[in-house]
């Protein structure tokens, strides 16, 4: 491993002295570094694309798309010209600044061109996952009053036009045949409603519209507080919320790309998140473009061999992924990936989305010779707020320390800061560049997040240790109240997963007349194990001896799988609803 260029660069990490940066850094410093107009007249695409295309990175690859067979590269200059063309397509359609335009496409080049072109034209982009079926789509398109949708013929029947009075036009991009076919699944509602498209009066071809559109466009100058994106949350705790993000997030995406992802000029970077989920946008689009690095976009099904092939083929240096993906690689991939694939250039791995189990960090040390840096943030926060850093010790299981410029605390129900080691709600002092500026058409919901000034209330449970590291404990909604104690489910889940028989576990509080609630665990066994009362009491003893009797799940049940969102988060609300025989809640963003 020694002597490779990738590894040597690690010595030159962007953040060397965390304490000093924490004490002195101000977000304005970044505005000055980037030469952003002090008046706040910004367009994020002008900074991320046009500025690079006018400078020395003009012919550098911005994106390298790969679908497992074919590949396509877009340089910064090509990206500028294509997004200009797309902005002109919208202008032809008389899309006004502030109008909503949805992108309902797989992560093809067209996704990125449309996404950036929409913002260039001053409109508000709504990125939508192709996992959404017609009911979820209709709800979001109605809620946001989208004027235009960009999609593919394959997905068109999920857009029920007669239920969408504001929809004026649909732009249809062809998928190349090499793209993996995603099983659309039965979508009866859509099949019945697809009639709306018979006339095809509202559809235009992406290729035709782009062909006749001009390459020159003056990116609209917007204000830093102007919305650029409406992004719906994952829906783990309830119905997805339409979170409003603004052009003013630039310093946040840029600086965290530098400090947390440690991106350098020569890096090849792979963010594995789909661009309809916030990591695939803030750190799949904004951070790498603002920093002028080359991103790999892989579009295909998850498969351990393929993923390692992508890392090796593109000599990926920096990799931003999820604990779920790493667990899959750990459980189902080859035992010694570094022996089978050339992963010498890989020098930094970071994750987001759910807590990173210490076991995965240990595995990564063996598999890649690298420790993983977990990062914590949410759709609403727009950018990373708490993270592990390359220059600090990683405490396995901890989400790390606040990013310089961010003040985080664990608070009680009145908003008072709690001392170290006490579990409470994670609060962030409100006001950072990428923070959401609203919930679409739901002022009340928005103000709930800020009801205890000066805090932004995250809805997550955590504690802080004496060294200032934060430890995720679950969601406020998942809090278990047992025998007068308040517990998060996460510690028990994590400990159960350390037992050799357990692949993963989901833990809920189940109402009980005597205890208030008891802890109930749902267990997915590893291959080769079967469920028995003997195994159950073994697991109970395992928890008792390692965590204490108060954390022992009194009830346990084996399941073939746990319900998860498409981004891999355990849906404890679904487990609870099933357990209590209640309506299952909104499942529109479920994986299956
Ligand atoms: P909804 O808000 O619709 O219920 P969601 O909260 O899952 O869904 P996201 O915004 O995608 O939607 O996810 C943010 C949440 O993900 C955080 O509130 C937190 O619970 C979890 N999360 C993110 N990163 C981490 C991490 N490093 N460790 C633990 N949990 C994390
Ligand atoms: Mg949330």
């Amino acid at each position: 491993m020694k002597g490779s260029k990738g590894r040597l660069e690690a010595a030159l990490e962007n953040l060397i002295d965390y304490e000093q940066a924490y004490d002195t850094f101000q977000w304005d410093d970044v505005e000055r570094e980037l030469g952003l107009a002090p008046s706040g007249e910004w367009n994020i695409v002008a900074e991320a694309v046009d500025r690079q295309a006018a400078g020395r990175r003009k012919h550098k690859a911005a994106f390298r798309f790969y679908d497992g067979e074919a590949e396509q590269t877009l340089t910064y200059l090509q990206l500028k010209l294509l997004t200009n063309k797309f902005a002109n397509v919208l202008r032809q359609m008389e899309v006004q600044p502030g109008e909503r335009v949805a992108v309902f496409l797989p992560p093809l080049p067209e996704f990125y061109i449309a996404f950036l072109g929409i913002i260039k034209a001053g409109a508000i982009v709504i990125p939508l996952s192709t996992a959404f079926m017609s009911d979820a789509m209709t709800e979001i398109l109605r809620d946001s009053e989208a004027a235009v949708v960009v999609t593919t013929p394959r997905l068109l029947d999920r857009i029920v036009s007669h239920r969408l009075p504001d929809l004026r036009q649909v732009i249809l991009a062809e998928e190349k045949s090499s793209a993996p076919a995603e099983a659309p699944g039965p979508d009866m509602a859509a099949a019945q409603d697809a009639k709306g498209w018979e006339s095809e009066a509202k559809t235009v071809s992406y290729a035709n519209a782009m062909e006749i559109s001009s390459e020159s466009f003056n990116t609209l100058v917007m204000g830093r507080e102007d919305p650029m994106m409406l992004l719906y949350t994952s829906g783990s705790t309830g119905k997805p919320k339409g979170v409003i993000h603004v052009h003013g997030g630039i310093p946040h995406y840029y600086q965290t790309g530098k400090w947390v992802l440690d991106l350098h000029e020569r890096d090849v970077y792979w963010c594995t998140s789909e661009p309809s989920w916030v990591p695939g946008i803030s750190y799949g689009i904004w951070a790498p473009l603002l920093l002028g690095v080359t991103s790999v976009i892989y579009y295909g099904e998850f498969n351990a061999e393929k993923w390692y092939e992508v890392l090796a083929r593109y000599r990926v240096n920096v990799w931003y992924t999820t604990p779920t993906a790493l667990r899959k690689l750990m459980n189902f991939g080859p035992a010694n990936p570094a022996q089978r694939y050339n992963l010498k250039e890989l020098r930094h791995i970071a994750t987001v989305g759910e807590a990173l189990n210490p076991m995965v960090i240990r595995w990564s040390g063996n598999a890649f010779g690298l420790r993983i840096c977990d990062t914590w943030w949410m759709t609403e926060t727009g950018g990373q707020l708490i993270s592990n850093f390359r220059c600090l010790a990683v405490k396995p299981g901890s989400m790390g320390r606040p990013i310089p410029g961010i003040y985080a605390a664990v608070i009680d129900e009145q908003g008072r800061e709690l001392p170290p080691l006490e579990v409470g709600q994670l609060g962030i002092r409100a006001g950072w560049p990428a923070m959401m500026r609203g919930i679409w058409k739901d002022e009340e919901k928005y103000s709930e997040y800020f009801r205890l000034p000066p805090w932004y209330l995250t809805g997550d449970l955590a504690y802080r240790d004496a060294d200032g590291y934060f430890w995720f404990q679950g969601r406020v909604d998942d809090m278990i109240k047992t025998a007068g104690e308040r517990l998060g489910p996460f510690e028990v889940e994590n400990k159960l997963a350390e037992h050799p028989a357990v692949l993963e576990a989901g833990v809920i509080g189940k109402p009980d007349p005597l205890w208030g609630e008891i802890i109930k665990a749902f267990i997915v066994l590893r291959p080769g194990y079967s469920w028995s009362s003997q195994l159950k009491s073994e697991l109970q003893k395992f928890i008792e001896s390692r965590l204490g009797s108060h954390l022992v799940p009194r009830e346990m049940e084996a399941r073939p799988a746990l319900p998860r969102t498409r981004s891999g988060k355990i849906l404890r609300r679904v487990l609870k609803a099933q357990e209590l025989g209640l309506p299952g809640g909104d499942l529109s963003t479920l994986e299956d």
Side-chain angles (χ1 to χ4, degrees):
M1 275 183 215
K2 278 210 183 105
S4 105
K5 180 185 68 184
R7 298 276 164 142
L8 275 181
E9 261 181 35
L12 309 170
E13 56 212 31
N14 287 326
L15 182 63
I16 293 164
D17 187 343
Y18 171 86
E19 310 291 347
Q20 198 235 339
Y22 197 85
D23 290 345
T24 58
F25 172 75
Q26 312 248 326
W27 292 108
D28 298 357
D29 302 345
V30 191
E31 294 184 25
R32 278 188 296 276
E33 182 182 328
L34 286 172
L36 294 171
S39 62
E41 291 172 308
W42 303 348
N43 185 312
I44 188 166
V45 185
E47 299 305 318
V49 180
D50 301 350
R51 182 175 56 96
Q52 309 289 18
R56 65 191 160 81
R57 295 173 181 139
K58 187 173 185 169
H59 299 301
K60 180 174 179 176
F63 291 116
R64 293 172 67 104
F65 297 92
Y66 180 55
D67 65 10
E69 287 166 31
E71 53 187 355
Q72 189 184 339
T73 296
L74 287 182
T75 64
Y76 279 94
L77 180 60
Q78 287 167 329
L79 193 59
K80 171 184 163 169
L81 299 178
L82 288 165
T83 51
N84 280 355
K85 271 176 169 278
F86 194 82
N88 278 320
V89 169
L90 295 180
R91 182 164 283 176
Q92 279 298 314
M93 292 177 174
E94 293 178 13
V95 170
Q96 302 302 312
E99 274 199 296
R100 277 76 55 212
V101 178
V103 187
F104 183 42
L105 287 175
L108 304 167
E110 288 80 358
F111 182 104
Y112 294 81
I113 292 163
F115 181 98
L116 295 163
I118 292 163
I119 301 173
K120 270 194 165 175
I124 302 174
V125 67
I126 309 171
L128 295 170
S129 165
T130 56
F132 284 136
M133 300 311 267
S134 72
D135 284 357
M137 281 294 294
T138 305
E139 189 156 332
I140 292 177
L141 294 175
R142 274 184 83 99
D143 183 57
S144 59
E145 296 160 278
V148 176
V149 179
V150 192
T151 188
T152 70
R154 175 174 65 92
L155 298 170
L156 182 61
D157 66 359
R158 297 199 209 156
I159 300 165
V160 185
S161 72
H162 70 259
R163 285 160 68 191
L164 301 169
D166 301 292
L167 184 61
R168 300 200 296 271
Q169 203 95 69
V170 172
I171 303 176
L172 287 177
E174 292 293 334
E175 278 172 270
K176 284 177 211 76
S177 54
S178 65
E182 261 171 75
D187 198 0
M188 300 312 282
Q192 279 155 17
D193 288 334
K195 294 179 202 82
W197 295 111
E198 271 158 19
S199 67
E200 290 183 10
K202 282 182 177 175
T203 64
V204 297
S205 140
Y206 174 92
N208 293 348
M210 287 290 274
E211 169 133 24
I212 56 168
S213 174
S214 159
E215 273 186 351
S216 73
F217 186 85
N218 289 327
T219 300
L220 256 74
V221 179
M222 306 300 289
R224 68 199 298 168
E225 294 301 315
D226 285 334
M228 54 106 173
M229 176 173 72
L230 189 52
L231 183 61
Y232 286 79
T233 55
S234 295
S236 308
T237 57
K239 207 173 93 174
K241 304 167 274 278
V243 172
I244 299 172
H245 287 291
V246 299
H247 288 268
I250 299 171
H252 197 151
Y253 308 127
Y254 176 85
Q255 196 59 34
T256 46
K258 232 170 143 169
W259 279 341
V260 175
L261 300 175
D262 195 41
L263 292 172
H264 286 70
E265 173 80 38
R266 289 206 308 267
D267 280 331
V268 175
Y269 165 66
W270 184 23
C271 170
T272 64
S273 298
E274 263 190 62
S276 51
W277 188 39
V278 73
I281 294 163
S282 302
Y283 299 100
I285 298 178
W286 301 130
L289 293 181
L290 287 165
L291 284 150
V293 305
T294 297
S295 286
V296 175
I297 309 287
Y298 170 65
Y299 166 41
E301 266 168 32
F302 179 87
N303 167 321
E305 313 284 330
K306 262 281 177 289
W307 273 41
Y308 286 124
E309 186 207 312
V310 172
L311 288 172
R313 179 186 183 102
Y314 293 97
R315 304 179 173 217
V316 172
N317 306 108
V318 178
W319 190 25
Y320 197 29
T321 187
T322 62
T324 299
L326 293 177
R327 274 197 306 272
K328 285 193 201 162
L329 291 177
M330 177 175 86
N331 291 319
F332 307 115
N336 289 307
Q339 279 169 17
R340 297 224 347 232
Y341 300 89
N342 179 357
L343 306 176
K344 286 205 291 284
E345 303 294 325
L346 188 60
R347 65 172 178 82
H348 184 35
I349 310 175
T351 58
V352 64
E354 358 130 36
L356 178 67
N357 325 76
M359 205 170 41
V360 179
I361 298 186
R362 286 198 290 276
W363 165 77
S364 157
N366 293 327
F368 307 113
L370 295 171
R371 46 175 210 179
I372 307 167
C373 288
D374 188 28
T375 70
W376 176 93
W377 56 295
M378 335 170 34
T379 308
E380 294 91 331
T381 72
Q384 297 153 340
L385 296 187
I386 297 180
S387 179
N388 289 280
F389 295 89
R390 291 166 63 79
C391 64
L392 292 177
V394 168
K395 293 195 189 189
S398 162
M399 57 205 203
R401 298 177 67 181
I403 281 150
I406 297 297
Y407 185 81
V410 175
I411 56 175
D412 69 10
E413 268 128 28
Q414 279 73 49
R416 289 177 300 229
E417 285 194 46
L418 291 170
L421 305 183
E422 277 191 38
V423 176
Q425 180 162 198
L426 178 63
I428 311 289
R429 192 175 287 152
W432 59 88
M435 189 178 87
M436 67 167 168
R437 301 298 205 278
I439 298 284
W440 190 256
K441 291 204 287 201
D442 199 344
E443 191 54 46
E444 202 182 314
K445 180 99 217 164
Y446 182 66
S447 46
E448 267 178 38
Y449 288 91
F450 301 97
R451 68 176 183 274
L452 292 176
W455 306 113
Y456 160 80
L457 302 174
T458 64
D460 280 1
L461 296 174
Y463 70 83
R464 179 171 53 92
D465 71 15
D467 301 325
Y469 283 70
F470 286 78
W471 299 73
F472 179 78
Q473 296 295 294
R475 309 282 186 124
V476 171
D477 296 353
D478 297 332
M479 176 114 74
I480 302 167
K481 297 167 198 108
T482 183
E485 239 192 305
R486 298 149 71 79
L487 312 164
F490 180 65
E491 212 175 347
V492 182
E493 289 172 0
N494 225 9
K495 195 50 75 184
L496 282 167
E498 284 182 19
H499 188 280
V502 178
L503 186 63
E504 55 185 14
V507 163
I508 61 163
K510 179 177 175 181
D512 178 272
L514 184 61
W515 300 96
E517 283 183 322
I518 55 156
I519 300 175
K520 168 142 193 179
F522 297 85
I523 309 279
V524 180
L525 293 173
R526 279 180 183 279
Y529 288 88
S530 54
W531 190 240
S532 65
S533 56
Q534 202 186 340
L535 180 56
K536 179 182 164 194
S537 46
E538 187 183 317
L539 290 173
Q540 287 173 327
K541 282 196 205 101
F542 185 77
I543 296 297
E544 185 172 358
S545 63
R546 283 164 174 81
L547 295 178
S549 56
H550 64 301
L551 289 176
V552 171
R554 283 169 195 273
E555 287 189 18
M556 281 198 209
E557 185 180 318
R559 285 278 179 105
L562 296 177
R564 289 185 180 271
T565 63
R566 68 198 152 81
S567 51
K569 296 167 206 272
I570 298 178
L571 282 158
R572 296 187 192 84
R573 70 181 161 94
V574 172
L575 288 172
K576 194 156 181 167
Q578 288 169 353
E579 182 63 29
L580 304 180
L582 300 170
D586 178 50
L587 305 182
S588 58
T589 56
L590 268 182
E591 202 172 34
D592 306 300

